[in-house]
Amino acid sequence: MNAQQVPRQNGTRPSRGETASRKPTPLKGILTRTLMPSSVVKYIVPARIRHRTKNDVVLVGEHTIELKELLPDGTLHSVAQKGDFGSGIRAASVIGDPGLDARIPPTTGIDSIIKQEASEETMKIPDGWREAPPQILVIALESRTLIFLFAYQNFSDQLDFAAYPRPLPLFGKDERKDDNQLGKHIAVDPRSRAIAIAGTKTWITLYRLKSLTQLKTELEHNGSIKVERFVRDGPLQEERHVPIKKKNGKDGTILKMDFLYPANGDTDHVILLVVASFEGRTLLLHYEWDNSQALPTDLTPRAEQSVHSEEQMPLLLIPLTTLTGFMLVFEKSYSIYKKASDRYEALKRNTILQQPPEEPGSSRRAPLWSQWTRPVRHAGFGSASEVIYLCREDGKVRYVQLEGQHSESTEAGKLEINVDSAFTCLDNMNKEVNGDLSISDILAVGGDMSNGGLYLSRPRHDAQKWQTIPCWAPIVDFVTAITSFQKNRANNNSSALRERIFAGTGKGPRHGAICELRYGIEALSGAKVDLNDLEIPFVTGLWVFPHAGETLLLLTDPTQSRLVVEGVQVVSEEFSGNGDGFDMNSTTVTAGSTTDGLVLQVTPSSIRLVLPLERRCHLRDYYEGTKIIEGAIHGTSSSIITAVRMDGEVYLHHEKLTTNREKTSLKRVGAPLLLSSEPTCVASHVLGSKVFVFIGTAAGTILLLQGSDHSGFVLLSEHTLEGDFAICDSFAVSHVSTGRIALLLLCGLRNGTIHICTLDIYEGSIVSRVYEAVADSSEGAHVLQTQEIVSIGDTTVKIASDTTYETGRGGDYLRAMIVCGEDSCRLEYQPNPKTNGTTRVNSIWLMDHQKPGFHQGAIRAMAQPENWNLRSMREHTTATFFCVERSVLHFVDFDTSQQPRVLPRRLYIGGTPSRIMYSKRLDKLIVAFTKTVVRAAQPHNQRLLYPVLKFIDPSDEETNPLEDDFTEPYPADHNFRSSEPITQKCLSHFRPHVIGSSGEKVLGIFEWYPEEDGKSYHLLVMNTTRARVEQGRKNTGRILLLELTQDQTGRGTFNFKPPIKNDSPIWAAAPYGKNSLVFCAGKSVVVQTLSIVDKKWKGIASMNLSSEGRALSTDEPFIYVTTMNHSLVVLRLDGDHLEICLNNTKAHDGLHHLLLSDQSLILQTDKQETITGLWQPPPPASNGYLEELFKARLPVPITRLVRAAIKPPWRTSFSTSDTVVGTSIDGAVYQFDLLDEAQWRLLRFLYNMIRRDKTLCPFDHNKEASRHIEPSTERAHHLHVDGDLLNRLLDREPAESEALLRGLLDRVPQSSERAIDFKDATTRRNRFFELLIAVIGVQQGQDLIAGAIEHLRKVLETAL
């Protein structure tokens, strides 16, 4: 339907709860989106859920799963993600047989050594292999749902998931409570005949599974997979519920649960072992049944067996494969149990050699064994032997080998990370490849408050880290800042200036860090060359070619050129001997290669054939008075286009390479064409026999010319670029087959923008859909149209086609690499005949895994090999992208199929961070963290926790925490000095120092500029709490003041000023007035004033609240306090006393708040995982209450909120204000945007439709089914729109998104839905279009479905 077909309606259906009278409060909604997902990995599950040949691994997070593939080079590459479960994930496992002996063996030889690129093609299941996967993933959700799923290639050739949900039974009267944590334990029978699900107590749910043969038969049919049948029927046959009770009826608590391996040849015997605690006593309950019969209706344990008194709390339960038995692992030992009649006999208790913790003092207790894994062993490994890895919380790994009833435990190394439950061994498919990888087990580990990774474990060697799995959780605090480094590289008013996100993450001296959280495409830096050593530090151009099994790079600056081969400058005699090869003494205008292996260099005075060496020669020389100023080489057609200045005029030359008897020469095609303006860049593209040339000019135009192999150029059109300094400096060109568009053109302009243009060819087209010439150019009209203008920065944009990317995914794309000032990006544009097309821009970040704090500078030049050179280059290098960053040449492994993700830059600090701030005056990150010191004492060593202050330059790459000195305290000096400019010499003097007593922790930190007698002072303020270990002593708190000073030599220090002491922890503080502070001490809010002359504090006012204040801010005359149990309170200082002027009518367990003063709005978060918008009415308030405008429920509580300008120029969000960013303890970062009434009604209408759709909400589509689709303001949470849910509609091709939206609008409502839906589909559709037009307006003949999808993409585009 288009805009002309929407009927006018006289009115709308009134929302429930709304009245005709308008509320005095404004109507605002809130849109929430995940900016960065949680980095927590709860489980790592090897699971071949696509195909038996795909070595799949599933990383299970808090709310999502990520499917990865282990490639032959031993690295994990992303395949797909799934996060539409609508609930948190509690546990995960896998059923089925991986079929390791039946899988196709890996390729041997050189092809198996060369790194496989994670392209879309390699990630696909090969044609003809559409068979049922050998394994199925099982996950238990917190919503009490069990889900079985696998991945498959759908008919659109896209990877999709098939899922069968099974509600778990409820045990208990109150359905809302989940004290049992049902689904915490998942146990799968070793032969996948049964699965057991349990919580922490009371009941176990048993399911009998269909046989693997039966599942395969049901799923496969005529070369395809019957997904619908699996979704409908699933893999289950029977269900039983087993109570966990003693014979006396006492309920037990389930500690561990797993299935045991029956004896060899016993095909029908199923054994389930439960380790349960009954009133402090641990029992072994083992259940057995015959799988050839139905599940028993009354299943009771064969025996209730006690364990040794010292084995009451097992850490791990490990079924054994070599005997019918199991292993129980304890803190200092492990015991092996073997079946003896109806009981299990403990054979022997084995002591585990105790080793000191990796981080002494990091905990009050010793680290425990947290997880185990059994390495993959194929045919040939002794059947009587069994190997098990045990992993401790601090990353220590032991290797346990069992031979019959004997066992041996040896040290297997240390991972140097913290480990919880994410620990497993992957299938190493590289046994025939030489090197460490071929003789190693691959351990996959998810870090706990530290990075995880893949590790190679070899006998008698420490584990070798092979790949990092990043983790930036927990986020304890974060700050945003525009640093001086950014300002020095750009104008202060530059559109490219935006705030960076710095977060305090990790725990302990090895993992505590400040992480700069960045989002984009990873470009992994490998080999590097310092160009200062080659005397060419200011590179302006870069080209890359293969030569003699090596990678050859040509670099140029304005006066000279250089060659680099594998990181070494080339000896000039080899490539430029006799003056016939490369010209090193001239700048290079352009260079390129042809499909038959010829390499050419164009300089201002010559065109040279430089490779192969035996054929090098001068193809064309220009003498004094002539000069080549621009050029382009088209490799597939062997065409060379040059712009030559001669006698003050510029002519365009078209020449082709010809070869006669192995002699190569240039042949001019047609007469030179006089150009009307100075060219700034040239690009060419060949369609059929026609050559199209695009020329950017200094006049701000683009010239479109056409020629052929036999004729000169004809000017077809001249396109004027809009804007100031709109001069094109670079092009990227690609052909497409979408509608009437023949070519896509990206133009990089000097004003920092990219113009996306299309070449439309109308009636009498000279180019058909197969790009063959059918008519003369005069028969058609050629129109170069600007479809979109994308802002990148405020300096010239360099742009080049991404040659390593193949078009696909159901449409024609143009992918390009972009450099503009400090930014490097990848742009992807897909034309759409119904709209202006879809544009995606993502940052590219250079990463160096050897230097986690690597800070990317400006990219001066970039290059990729031509696609016909990629194959030969991959035989000797993994690099596919080359760039000059500052004065360093990087060989980059750039994975073109990889989706953008979080790329943390990590600066280690040597302790656990507590608070972080950025000082504009000092241009430093100021970090307060806790340093653990272990002091020798009797009878036990003392564990002391000291607060430490550290200054970090945001652009530093290494902070050397191990070299820091934490012993020197700051001196006390009660004299105040007015603030003066601080030199960098002064700042560089500061080292981390202890700032408080043992047990004291910094809870807040900020800068304060008090004024007195016309003078301003610069102080650093910290509020603290101190733990008192003495029995009966409660925690105390202080306000610490530090002043930065410097002496005549420029050396600086901080001096302590008079502190404020309190008998309660001081949870929060803030400046108030010229020289006052307000702070929350326990349940009191206190205001005190500092007299700088008298050097004393004076109490002004105080007030007791109903609960402790945890967050505080000021906007004079108001003081805003978030309390621990009573939401938000607004106070006002009246003379010498405080009074409550506003508070929230509903009590929440508050965490944090953010003032949006320009909108009279306060955003408050709480422990109940909600964020509430509170409207502050203008004074005087009529009722004394803050009114709730909206309430949004999130997956996790938000612990910090910040308003920041983090959006890059290319993010064209519908919201023009700064972004509100919130973080959670699990590392997730969320974005919040306010919606006006029209936007909210449109998005909420769409949200309500999606909520009840089984395709888009497969697991919770009935959650909102009791409400009408028409948006309602009846309750505050109705004003919330979940952008992550809306994004499910867009996570596919535009045509598919449009089809899904059309299906939502055209669905015929059932008779039972009359109270919650419109009377018919037509009414629903018209109402949606009415809401849409109210937001986006109306254009003649506009396709409203396509317009809605395009608008939704802009709305849901995140800030990063």
Side-chain angles (χ1 to χ4, degrees):
M1 177 177 287
N2 61 41
Q4 293 174 301
Q5 298 172 304
V6 180
R8 297 286 182 182
Q9 297 191 13
N10 294 327
T12 62
R13 180 186 184 277
S15 302
R16 292 184 298 169
E18 290 186 281
T19 61
S21 60
R22 187 173 180 85
K23 292 183 178 181
T25 56
L27 180 60
K28 288 184 179 292
I30 186 170
L31 174 66
T32 63
R33 282 158 291 174
T34 301
L35 193 60
M36 300 180 185
S38 168
S39 62
V40 173
V41 178
K42 299 177 69 172
Y43 303 96
I44 301 179
V45 184
R48 295 174 182 261
I49 62 173
R50 285 187 297 164
H51 194 271
R52 60 185 172 85
T53 63
K54 295 297 182 181
N55 199 357
D56 290 338
V57 181
V58 180
L59 272 60
V60 181
E62 294 281 359
H63 300 88
T64 63
I65 63 171
E66 183 176 8
L67 178 61
K68 290 179 175 285
E69 181 177 356
L70 182 67
L71 297 182
D73 67 351
T75 60
L76 291 173
H77 282 255
S78 297
V79 178
Q81 288 186 337
K82 186 174 179 66
D84 57 357
F85 302 112
S87 173
I89 298 174
R90 186 158 278 159
S93 188
V94 63
I95 63 174
D97 181 3
L100 298 180
D101 297 327
R103 63 174 169 79
I104 295 177
T107 306
T108 59
I110 187 66
D111 287 341
S112 62
I113 300 175
I114 299 171
K115 180 172 180 178
Q116 290 190 8
E117 290 300 322
S119 64
E120 294 181 357
E121 294 300 324
T122 61
M123 289 298 154
K124 290 180 181 177
I125 298 172
D127 292 338
W129 288 8
R130 297 184 188 275
E131 60 185 56
Q135 293 182 297
I136 295 173
L137 185 69
V138 186
I139 58 176
L141 302 181
E142 294 175 355
S143 59
R144 296 187 294 272
T145 303
L146 196 65
I147 296 177
F148 300 82
L149 61 85
F150 64 86
Y152 67 99
Q153 212 84 31
N154 61 26
F155 290 107
S156 299
D157 213 23
Q158 302 298 305
L159 195 70
D160 205 348
F161 289 91
Y164 170 75
R166 177 80 169 216
L168 291 171
L170 291 169
F171 301 106
K173 297 181 180 179
D174 192 347
E175 297 183 4
R176 296 186 178 182
K177 292 184 178 180
D178 193 22
D179 297 336
N180 188 27
Q181 299 183 47
L182 188 60
K184 178 181 179 180
H185 300 287
I186 298 181
V188 177
D189 173 64
R191 296 173 184 168
S192 294
R193 299 167 297 178
I195 184 171
I197 309 296
T200 57
K201 56 187 177 182
T202 312
W203 292 88
I204 293 176
T205 301
L206 287 176
Y207 296 100
R208 185 184 180 195
L209 297 171
K210 297 175 182 177
S211 68
L212 300 180
T213 303
Q214 181 182 353
L215 270 176
K216 186 176 179 67
T217 302
E218 291 181 357
L219 286 176
E220 296 179 359
H221 177 70
N222 293 334
S224 63
I225 300 178
K226 294 186 286 187
V227 175
E228 296 80 6
R229 181 164 184 177
F230 178 80
V231 173
R232 183 188 70 227
D233 299 337
L236 306 180
Q237 283 186 312
E238 297 179 85
E239 178 179 342
R240 295 289 186 271
H241 308 298
V242 180
I244 301 300
K245 295 184 179 182
K246 291 181 63 176
K247 293 179 180 179
N248 60 10
K250 294 288 186 179
D251 291 337
T253 299
I254 300 173
L255 304 178
K256 303 292 176 183
M257 179 180 73
D258 213 333
F259 285 90
L260 304 184
Y261 287 80
N264 290 333
D266 190 350
T267 58
D268 295 324
H269 197 192
V270 182
I271 308 170
L272 176 66
L273 176 69
V274 178
V275 183
S277 176
F278 296 89
E279 298 177 326
R281 183 185 176 196
T282 299
L283 299 180
L284 304 178
L285 310 177
H286 41 101
Y287 303 81
E288 302 182 21
W289 65 91
D290 188 344
N291 190 61
S292 63
Q293 302 176 11
L295 282 172
T297 56
D298 187 15
L299 190 63
T300 57
R302 289 288 183 94
E304 297 178 357
Q305 179 179 341
S306 300
V307 298
H308 193 276
S309 59
E310 297 182 7
E311 300 181 350
Q312 294 298 305
M313 190 57 65
L315 302 174
L316 301 172
L317 165 62
I318 306 174
L320 301 178
T321 61
T322 55
L323 52 83
T324 303
F326 56 92
M327 178 192 297
L328 291 179
V329 180
F330 306 93
E331 183 176 353
K332 300 179 180 179
S333 63
Y334 64 89
S335 296
I336 298 175
Y337 287 75
K338 180 182 178 182
K339 187 173 177 60
S341 185
D342 285 340
R343 299 178 63 83
Y344 286 86
E345 176 186 356
L347 300 179
K348 181 183 178 182
R349 292 185 66 203
N350 300 270
T351 301
I352 301 177
L353 179 64
Q354 293 301 295
Q355 295 175 311
E358 283 294 289
E359 296 181 355
S362 61
S363 176
R364 293 181 179 177
R365 59 169 177 80
L368 304 176
W369 299 103
S370 59
Q371 191 55 283
W372 69 277
T373 186
R374 182 178 286 113
V376 177
R377 295 290 184 262
H378 299 282
F381 187 78
S383 59
S385 299
E386 184 164 4
V387 174
I388 291 168
Y389 283 102
L390 300 179
C391 188
R392 209 167 67 173
E393 289 174 316
D394 61 350
K396 287 286 184 71
V397 180
R398 294 198 71 83
Y399 186 87
V400 181
Q401 187 165 5
L402 295 92
E403 294 277 354
Q405 299 181 12
H406 303 283
S407 65
E408 182 182 2
S409 168
T410 58
E411 185 179 354
K414 49 189 178 182
L415 306 180
E416 297 185 344
I417 60 173
N418 302 325
V419 182
D420 189 11
S421 55
F423 177 77
T424 191
C425 188
L426 306 182
D427 174 24
N428 187 353
M429 301 170 60
N430 296 277
K431 298 303 181 183
E432 301 177 26
V433 180
N434 294 326
D436 294 345
L437 191 60
S438 64
I439 57 174
S440 303
D441 289 324
I442 302 179
L443 301 177
V445 190
D448 177 28
M449 294 186 285
S450 68
N451 280 335
L454 297 189
Y455 293 81
L456 303 187
S457 177
R458 294 182 292 154
R460 298 174 297 279
H461 288 79
D462 282 339
Q464 175 189 356
K465 192 168 188 177
W466 196 252
Q467 184 183 14
T468 298
I469 300 176
C471 176
W472 52 91
I475 295 179
V476 295
D477 195 12
F478 83 106
V479 68
T480 61
I482 298 177
T483 65
S484 292
F485 176 84
Q486 295 170 272
K487 295 177 182 178
N488 293 338
R489 309 290 296 191
N491 299 324
N492 284 333
N493 296 325
S494 169
S495 62
L497 282 177
R498 55 189 180 278
E499 293 181 86
R500 298 153 64 186
I501 302 175
F502 297 94
T505 68
K507 177 184 178 182
R510 292 186 303 167
H511 309 296
I514 299 303
C515 276
E516 181 181 0
L517 298 179
R518 308 173 302 183
Y519 187 80
I521 309 295
E522 181 181 22
L524 184 59
S525 177
K528 303 176 186 66
V529 180
D530 189 345
L531 298 181
N532 289 306
D533 297 338
L534 304 184
E535 298 179 354
I536 184 170
F538 303 107
V539 174
T540 57
L542 176 65
W543 298 266
V544 58
F545 320 101
H547 171 68
E550 294 179 314
T551 300
L552 178 66
L553 293 109
L554 174 63
L555 303 95
T556 189
D557 69 10
T559 62
Q560 60 183 338
S561 299
R562 289 289 186 272
L563 283 174
V564 173
V565 174
E566 301 296 332
V568 180
Q569 183 178 5
V570 174
V571 179
S572 59
E573 287 77 8
E574 179 183 359
F575 286 90
S576 60
N578 301 322
D580 290 332
F582 284 96
D583 183 358
M584 303 295 185
N585 297 319
S586 299
T587 185
T588 299
V589 176
T590 188
S593 65
T594 65
T595 52
D596 53 2
L598 303 181
V599 177
L600 300 104
Q601 179 194 20
V602 179
T603 71
S605 60
S606 65
I607 301 175
R608 299 175 175 224
L609 174 62
V610 291
L611 292 176
L613 292 176
E614 64 274 10
R615 298 176 63 179
R616 58 190 178 182
C617 63
H618 285 224
L619 296 173
R620 183 84 64 204
D621 286 312
Y622 293 89
Y623 301 99
E624 188 174 351
T626 60
K627 181 180 180 181
I628 301 175
I629 57 176
E630 291 293 341
I633 298 173
H634 194 272
T636 56
S637 65
S638 298
S639 296
I640 303 173
I641 313 298
T642 55
V644 181
R645 180 181 288 115
M646 183 186 310
D647 298 329
E649 304 285 358
V650 179
Y651 295 86
L652 190 69
H653 293 251
H654 179 198
E655 301 181 271
K656 284 186 67 69
L657 285 171
T658 61
T659 302
N660 184 14
R661 296 180 182 179
E662 297 186 358
K663 181 180 180 181
T664 304
S665 60
L666 278 181
K667 175 186 176 183
R668 281 203 169 132
V669 181
L673 178 67
L674 177 63
L675 299 179
S676 59
S677 182
E678 182 86 358
T680 54
C681 57
V682 177
S684 63
H685 198 87
V686 175
L687 294 181
S689 61
K690 302 294 183 182
V691 179
F692 288 88
V693 175
F694 301 90
I695 301 176
T697 73
T701 62
I702 297 176
L703 306 180
L704 171 61
L705 302 98
Q706 178 188 305
S708 69
D709 292 343
H710 310 289
S711 62
F713 290 112
V714 176
L715 179 64
L716 298 181
S717 64
E718 184 172 1
H719 179 72
T720 301
L721 298 169
E722 299 177 359
D724 296 332
F725 301 102
I727 299 173
C728 184
D729 272 338
S730 58
F731 286 121
V733 189
S734 177
H735 61 252
V736 296
S737 57
T738 303
R740 64 174 181 265
I741 300 174
L743 291 176
L744 285 176
L745 181 68
L746 299 187
C747 309
L749 274 60
R750 292 182 185 176
N751 60 10
T753 64
I754 293 177
H755 286 226
I756 302 176
C757 302
T758 57
L759 176 60
D760 298 346
I761 304 179
Y762 294 93
E763 308 166 355
S765 171
I766 66 165
V767 181
S768 72
R769 292 183 65 83
V770 294
Y771 317 120
E772 294 295 336
V774 295
D776 185 75
S777 62
S778 60
E779 297 181 12
H782 305 70
V783 180
L784 194 63
Q785 294 185 333
T786 299
Q787 298 291 341
E788 186 175 354
I789 298 176
V790 181
S791 179
I792 303 296
D794 60 357
T795 187
T796 187
V797 176
K798 299 177 183 178
I799 188 167
S801 296
D802 185 356
T803 58
T804 62
Y805 176 71
E806 299 292 337
T807 58
R809 295 196 298 171
D812 292 280
Y813 285 74
L814 174 58
R815 221 171 188 179
M817 315 296 289
I818 299 166
V819 170
C820 180
E822 294 297 311
D823 289 305
S824 55
C825 315
R826 187 185 68 190
L827 181 146
E828 185 180 276
Y829 175 76
Q830 182 183 20
N832 186 337
K834 300 177 183 178
T835 64
N836 289 334
T838 302
T839 304
R840 299 179 182 89
V841 182
N842 287 291
S843 296
I844 295 174
W845 294 103
L846 281 177
M847 302 287 287
D848 186 345
H849 288 176
Q850 302 301 318
K851 190 183 291 184
F854 173 74
H855 182 243
Q856 177 178 316
I859 305 294
R860 301 183 183 276
M862 60 181 174
Q864 285 184 294
E866 300 287 355
N867 49 26
W868 55 81
N869 289 328
L870 281 176
R871 178 62 181 175
S872 60
M873 290 186 60
R874 282 176 176 168
E875 294 178 358
H876 55 82
T877 182
T878 61
T880 58
F881 181 66
F882 305 85
C883 67
V884 175
E885 178 258 346
R886 287 177 280 196
S887 59
V888 178
L889 173 62
H890 294 263
F891 288 60
V892 177
D893 178 13
F894 181 69
D895 186 355
T896 57
S897 68
Q898 191 180 55
Q899 293 299 310
R901 58 188 178 90
V902 182
L903 300 171
R905 170 177 164 258
R906 200 176 299 263
L907 297 171
Y908 291 101
I909 59 175
T912 303
S914 55
R915 287 295 178 264
I916 178 176
M917 65 158 289
Y918 172 72
S919 169
K920 291 183 180 180
R921 181 169 183 251
L922 306 179
D923 189 32
K924 299 288 183 182
L925 293 170
I926 304 177
V927 185
F929 64 93
T930 300
K931 177 69 176 179
T932 303
V933 177
V934 178
R935 185 173 297 168
Q938 295 295 333
H940 302 289
N941 291 343
Q942 286 185 328
R943 175 174 173 263
L944 305 176
L945 305 178
Y946 287 102
V948 178
L949 201 65
K950 183 168 185 172
F951 294 80
I952 297 177
D953 188 325
S955 300
D956 279 348
E957 296 191 347
E958 293 185 12
T959 53
N960 299 319
L962 298 180
E963 300 177 5
D964 289 338
D965 178 13
F966 301 96
T967 58
E968 299 179 13
Y970 287 122
D973 181 359
H974 292 181
N975 294 317
F976 289 88
R977 299 166 180 84
S978 59
S979 59
E980 298 174 355
I982 304 299
T983 65
Q984 289 300 316
K985 181 180 178 180
C986 171
L987 294 174
S988 63
H989 169 71
F990 289 102
R991 299 176 64 86
H993 285 280
V994 173
I995 56 170
S997 306
S998 174
E1000 194 165 16
K1001 181 179 180 181
V1002 176
L1003 300 178
I1005 181 171
F1006 59 90
E1007 288 179 297
W1008 185 31
Y1009 294 90
E1011 298 178 5
E1012 189 169 306
D1013 297 334
K1015 295 182 179 180
S1016 175
Y1017 301 82
H1018 179 205
L1019 301 177
L1020 194 64
V1021 182
M1022 288 166 285
N1023 52 287
T1024 73
T1025 178
R1026 185 184 180 190
R1028 307 300 293 267
V1029 296
E1030 298 89 346
Q1031 187 175 4
R1033 299 288 299 275
K1034 66 177 184 177
N1035 292 355
T1036 60
R1038 292 195 297 172
I1039 294 283
L1040 303 179
L1041 274 73
L1042 298 176
E1043 183 182 33
L1044 176 63
T1045 60
Q1046 61 186 24
D1047 58 23
Q1048 295 179 351
T1049 66
R1051 295 172 59 87
T1053 184
F1054 264 119
N1055 297 320
F1056 274 113
K1057 301 305 173 186
I1060 299 176
K1061 299 181 181 180
N1062 199 281
D1063 293 334
S1064 299
I1066 299 182
W1067 297 107
Y1072 191 84
K1074 287 186 176 182
N1075 55 357
S1076 297
L1077 291 179
V1078 57
F1079 56 89
C1080 298
K1083 294 183 180 181
S1084 300
V1085 177
V1086 182
V1087 181
Q1088 291 197 14
T1089 295
L1090 174 65
S1091 174
I1092 295 177
V1093 174
D1094 297 334
K1095 308 169 190 175
K1096 293 183 180 180
W1097 287 98
K1098 178 183 178 183
I1100 299 298
S1102 65
M1103 181 179 190
N1104 289 331
L1105 302 177
S1106 300
S1107 59
E1108 294 180 338
R1110 289 305 178 96
L1112 183 148
S1113 61
T1114 61
D1115 185 14
E1116 298 177 30
F1118 300 108
I1119 300 170
Y1120 302 82
V1121 182
T1122 291
T1123 63
M1124 188 174 179
N1125 304 116
H1126 296 83
S1127 299
L1128 187 77
V1129 178
V1130 182
L1131 308 175
R1132 182 165 45 198
L1133 180 64
D1134 186 6
D1136 58 354
H1137 70 278
L1138 290 167
E1139 61 179 10
I1140 296 178
C1141 54
L1142 293 167
N1143 64 357
N1144 194 1
T1145 57
K1146 299 179 181 179
H1148 300 285
D1149 298 336
L1151 286 175
H1152 202 247
H1153 69 259
L1154 174 68
L1155 299 181
L1156 302 178
S1157 301
D1158 56 330
Q1159 303 189 49
S1160 300
L1161 193 65
I1162 308 149
L1163 299 180
Q1164 186 201 12
T1165 68
D1166 56 47
K1167 295 179 182 178
Q1168 286 73 40
E1169 303 172 349
T1170 63
I1171 178 169
T1172 305
L1174 301 172
W1175 183 60
Q1176 180 178 350
S1182 57
N1183 52 15
Y1185 295 115
L1186 297 166
E1187 300 196 40
E1188 287 191 357
L1189 297 186
F1190 52 76
K1191 180 179 291 186
R1193 179 170 293 278
L1194 298 166
V1196 289
I1198 300 299
T1199 55
R1200 287 289 181 272
L1201 287 170
V1202 169
R1203 190 178 190 179
I1206 62 173
K1207 285 185 282 191
W1210 55 83
R1211 286 289 184 253
T1212 56
S1213 173
F1214 74 101
S1215 175
T1216 57
S1217 60
D1218 292 343
T1219 303
V1220 175
V1221 179
T1223 58
S1224 63
I1225 199 69
D1226 68 349
V1229 183
Y1230 293 90
Q1231 176 179 339
F1232 306 97
D1233 287 296
L1234 300 181
L1235 302 172
D1236 60 27
E1237 181 175 355
Q1239 282 279 14
W1240 165 74
R1241 289 194 179 276
L1242 172 64
L1243 297 179
R1244 184 70 191 195
F1245 190 100
L1246 187 56
Y1247 171 91
N1248 290 341
M1249 288 195 297
I1250 291 175
R1251 270 307 244 179
R1252 59 190 71 191
D1253 182 76
K1254 294 183 179 180
T1255 301
L1256 298 172
C1257 293
F1259 310 113
D1260 56 351
H1261 56 272
N1262 291 321
K1263 196 170 182 180
E1264 304 283 337
S1266 61
R1267 301 192 187 101
H1268 199 279
I1269 291 177
E1270 178 69 30
S1272 166
T1273 59
E1274 181 179 356
R1275 297 181 180 178
H1277 68 268
H1278 293 172
L1279 277 296
H1280 171 219
V1281 178
D1282 184 353
D1284 292 340
L1285 185 138
L1286 293 184
N1287 206 48
R1288 298 179 192 177
L1289 184 63
L1290 304 181
D1291 191 19
R1292 57 201 77 234
E1293 289 297 317
E1296 189 177 354
S1297 298
E1298 293 172 17
L1300 280 172
L1301 177 56
R1302 193 172 287 106
L1304 293 174
L1305 296 173
D1306 293 343
R1307 186 185 67 86
V1308 177
Q1310 304 297 316
S1311 57
S1312 59
E1313 300 176 324
R1314 290 179 179 176
I1316 58 174
D1317 202 346
F1318 294 88
K1319 64 178 182 179
D1320 52 43
T1322 301
T1323 306
R1324 185 197 308 120
R1325 188 189 315 112
N1326 289 341
R1327 175 57 176 155
F1328 175 77
F1329 288 149
E1330 182 182 354
L1331 295 175
L1332 177 66
I1333 292 173
V1335 172
I1336 69 173
V1338 59
Q1339 297 180 9
Q1340 185 75 14
Q1342 182 181 7
D1343 187 316
L1344 292 180
I1345 294 291
I1349 295 298
E1350 181 182 24
H1351 173 72
L1352 194 60
R1353 287 191 188 279
K1354 293 179 180 179
V1355 168
L1356 297 182
E1357 190 174 49
T1358 59
L1360 296 179

